[in-house]
Amino acid sequence: MFFCEVGTGRQRDFEKLAIFGATPRARRGAELKVLSAVETKVPGYLDGIRDAVVNRDKGKDTTGTWGTDTMIFRDDELSYALGKQG
């Protein structure tokens, strides 16, 4: 993953992040890890983009079965799911 320089200075509302990987699964895993970190820093951010993110690559593999499922965790479940280093 690399941050892409989009503008000058640090006063931007967003930064672009380039994610590279050999498989769609690896790239999606990295994307979801980043989104988890963003959601921790800015609660509610993902609510506005959830449908676009989750459905963007749905069925776009050769078998037509690729996709992402989501579920909402309670706080105690979230800490368990993310693990010690999460």
Side-chain angles (χ1 to χ4, degrees):
M1 287 186 272
F2 299 97
F3 284 102
C4 303
E5 190 65 35
V6 180
T8 58
R10 307 266 304 154
Q11 300 300 324
R12 295 184 297 252
D13 291 336
F14 65 92
E15 291 189 47
K16 287 188 178 183
L17 181 68
I19 299 175
F20 300 95
T23 65
R25 181 181 175 139
R27 292 189 298 272
R28 178 52 66 105
E31 177 184 26
L32 293 174
K33 187 75 172 174
V34 169
L35 287 171
S36 175
V38 169
E39 184 67 21
T40 299
K41 301 271 185 189
V42 185
Y45 176 79
L46 188 59
D47 290 339
I49 63 168
R50 181 187 320 267
D51 291 337
V53 169
V54 171
N55 296 321
R56 182 182 53 235
D57 297 326
K58 190 173 186 174
K60 290 188 178 176
D61 65 333
T62 56
T63 64
T65 59
W66 173 254
T68 301
D69 291 327
T70 63
M71 62 186 299
I72 297 174
F73 289 116
R74 294 187 313 263
D75 287 341
D76 59 329
E77 294 172 324
L78 181 62
S79 61
Y80 179 78
L82 293 176
K84 191 164 133 181
Q85 305 265 332

